Amino acid sequence: MKKRQHIYINRLMDAYRGEGAVPPCPLFGSCGGCLFQHIRYKDQLALKKEIVNDALRGVAAVDQVHPSEPYRYRGRMDLVVAFGKCGLRRRGNYRAVVDVTACSIMKEKSNSLLGKIRPFIEKIEGYDYLRHRGYLRYVVLRETSYTGRVMANFVVAERENRLAALLDGIAADADSISLIYSGGLADLSYGDIIENVRAGYIEEDFDGIRYRITPNSFFQSNAEAALRIYRRIREEARGRVLDLCAGVGSISLFIAEASEHVTGVEKSTEAVENANMNKELNRIGNADFICSDAKDFVRDAGGNYETIILDPPRSGLQRSVMEHIDRMGAGKIIYMSCNPASFRDDVQFLQRYTLESIEAYDMFGQTPHVELLGVLKRKI
Ligand SMILES: C[S@@+](CC[C@H](N)C(=O)[O-])C[C@H]1O[C@@H](n2cnc3c(N)ncnc32)[C@H](O)[C@@H]1O
């Protein structure tokens, strides 16, 4: 499926006959981060609409992809440090890295912080991820949109701090700085926190709801687009709500005021700790978070939810989970998804539901990816 989609995207790009745009980034074409910079933004949206509708064929169709900021939107960038470079994987080649000095989709403050970090990086041993040797694996830059905070995480392969000069050098330029250990063979840009050199968190604000973001916690990478989607979810959610795959409680807490009660279910212990911290931070009394795999939770869950929110990872949810959800009797299911193919497959299991509306949002400008929001109503 993934391969078929890839071929389809390439075919659409080859068929593109628009006027074209001048890519603002000199690395466009070699860097694997962006695929669409040579396509005018309005044509990108049209292209994405075709990609989404092809993946949804037989189930639904969107009539547009809502635009977002095409550049400077990303609140998270994982820069790999290897082979004397600090940047992103070369397009189509996981074994090579393109040196990045500035990135046109990364937010402004992160770009300026990267400029300060780079001179130090040249003196630090990178990590050869092919031979599994070396020290510094990733520089992860995160930035909030509505509070303007910036975080730098340095992911290293030894439990020791060899970055004193770098950490001193940027101390005044980042609101949070952490040293993180990721020593295994897996290519991970998160792990155990060795030391929070500064703060160990930043905070985002969505319409007055504060979110504390810690180095390892998930947060949507396009805050403006995420906020628009969360507002739509809040308009739809009613009564007792189940938020499955709740992460750090971002949606649960955002909609709590409009709901009778929200139960957030999430399998990551760290995310649940974050969700509880965010609940306290916002003094929200009608939300609870449960650490559980979705499949275990729905197996024993009764039919006491009016609304079920689903926001799974790209792979979607297991068939057994969807079958249980279908039987739980909620009046409405709100499904947020970054993968139209798994969205389509999952929705097909919900035989007692009709897809009442579907919207697509451009959360990932310059890439083929799209975020979907579907609202399903119970038939009987
Ligand atoms: C796309 S994130 C969404 C997080 C949150 N809804 C948000 O908007 O920030 C998906 C979340 O699902 C969690 N997850 C993945 N598989 C799961 C499962 N089988 N059971 C429960 N949670 C799961 C992941 O840990 C992750 O936090």
Side-chain angles (χ1 to χ4, degrees):
M1 183 63 221
K2 209 171 167 187
K3 193 166 178 209
R4 197 177 77 85
Q5 187 73 2
H6 186 68
I7 293 167
Y8 178 71
I9 291 167
N10 281 342
R11 190 163 58 72
L12 276 179
M13 284 173 64
D14 289 346
Y16 171 68
R17 293 279 175 268
E19 256 173 49
V22 179
C25 176
L27 298 174
F28 179 71
S30 54
C31 174
C34 294
L35 280 186
F36 283 180
Q37 285 193 11
H38 63 308
I39 301 177
R40 286 182 309 177
Y41 190 58
K42 77 173 180 42
D43 295 335
Q44 285 187 31
L45 297 176
L47 199 56
K48 289 191 187 202
K49 183 180 139 182
E50 270 197 67
I51 293 168
V52 169
N53 285 342
D54 179 62
L56 294 178
R57 192 166 296 160
V59 172
V62 299
D63 52 15
Q64 64 161 320
V65 175
H66 294 297
S68 183
E69 245 352 284
Y71 288 102
R72 299 270 180 258
Y73 65 86
R74 270 197 80 93
R76 176 176 180 138
M77 193 62 81
D78 295 13
L79 299 152
V80 61
V81 185
F83 319 127
K85 300 191 170 86
C86 170
L88 297 178
R89 275 4 186 271
R90 183 169 284 280
R91 186 187 286 190
N93 184 359
Y94 173 79
R95 302 171 73 84
V97 175
V98 173
D99 218 18
V100 173
T101 50
C103 169
S104 49
I105 57 171
M106 182 165 74
K107 286 179 127 0
E108 206 68 61
K109 284 189 181 173
S110 305
N111 266 298
S112 113
L113 183 56
L114 177 60
K116 302 221 163 98
I117 290 171
R118 283 204 58 102
F120 292 97
I121 293 282
E122 282 152 23
K123 298 175 201 111
I124 295 163
E125 184 193 9
Y127 182 82
D128 179 336
Y129 56 86
L130 300 175
R131 294 193 177 83
H132 296 287
R133 276 187 222 137
Y135 179 64
L136 179 59
R137 299 181 87 142
Y138 278 97
V139 174
V140 179
L141 300 177
R142 303 184 74 173
E143 186 172 338
T144 56
S145 289
Y146 298 100
T147 54
R149 297 288 188 264
V150 61
M151 167 187 272
N153 301 325
F154 299 95
V155 183
V156 296
E158 305 284 339
R159 284 188 190 274
E160 60 186 41
N161 183 351
R162 294 192 219 154
L163 303 178
L166 162 61
L167 300 176
D168 267 7
I170 62 156
D173 301 294
D175 300 289
S176 173
I177 304 173
S178 298
L179 194 62
I180 294 174
Y181 171 69
S182 168
L185 295 184
D187 183 20
L188 302 178
S189 58
Y190 57 87
D192 302 341
I193 295 178
I194 301 173
E195 191 182 344
N196 286 321
V197 180
R198 187 165 185 200
Y201 67 88
I202 49 176
E203 281 182 15
E204 179 59 294
D205 185 313
F206 277 12
D207 289 351
I209 300 292
R210 303 286 290 188
Y211 297 111
R212 192 165 281 199
I213 301 168
T214 53
N216 287 321
S217 65
F218 173 87
F219 201 78
Q220 302 284 352
S221 61
N222 181 334
E224 287 85 357
L227 177 55
R228 287 184 69 190
I229 298 173
Y230 288 7
R231 285 179 182 148
R232 275 287 299 125
I233 296 175
R234 191 173 53 190
E235 280 169 18
E236 294 286 345
R238 286 293 166 272
R240 297 184 66 78
V241 180
L242 172 63
D243 178 13
L244 219 49
C245 300
V248 297
S250 320
I251 299 174
S252 300
L253 300 174
F254 193 79
I255 62 159
E257 205 182 52
S259 320
E260 191 185 324
H261 184 272
V262 188
T263 303
V265 174
E266 163 60 49
K267 75 170 180 187
S268 149
T269 326
E270 191 177 333
V272 172
E273 280 167 15
N274 274 271
N276 280 318
M277 188 169 61
N278 287 326
K279 174 184 153 171
E280 296 305 317
L281 194 65
N282 292 284
R283 299 176 200 280
I284 290 176
N286 64 335
D288 287 307
F289 296 98
I290 295 171
C291 190
S292 167
D293 195 296
K295 76 172 173 343
D296 301 325
F297 183 85
V298 294
R299 199 178 44 226
D300 304 327
N304 38 8
Y305 300 102
E306 262 173 68
T307 308
I308 299 178
I309 298 170
L310 308 173
D311 183 14
R314 273 192 79 73
S315 51
L317 286 161
Q318 283 170 287
R319 184 182 179 150
S320 66
V321 177
M322 296 312 293
E323 284 170 351
H324 276 292
I325 290 172
D326 195 39
R327 284 196 286 268
M328 281 169 67
K332 195 182 273 185
I333 295 175
I334 304 170
Y335 193 150
M336 179 170 174
S337 165
C338 60
N339 184 349
S342 57
F343 175 92
R344 181 205 51 223
D345 293 347
D346 287 350
V347 162
Q348 281 177 325
F349 286 119
L350 297 172
Q351 296 183 353
R352 294 179 173 87
Y353 288 81
T354 320
L355 187 59
E356 196 186 61
S357 69
I358 179 158
E359 290 173 282
Y361 291 82
D362 190 22
M363 258 217 179
F364 315 99
Q366 318 308 325
T367 80
H369 302 293
V370 177
E371 193 77 25
L372 293 179
L373 186 70
V375 177
L376 297 102
K377 282 252 171 84
R378 196 168 172 81
K379 288 180 198 159
I380 29 156

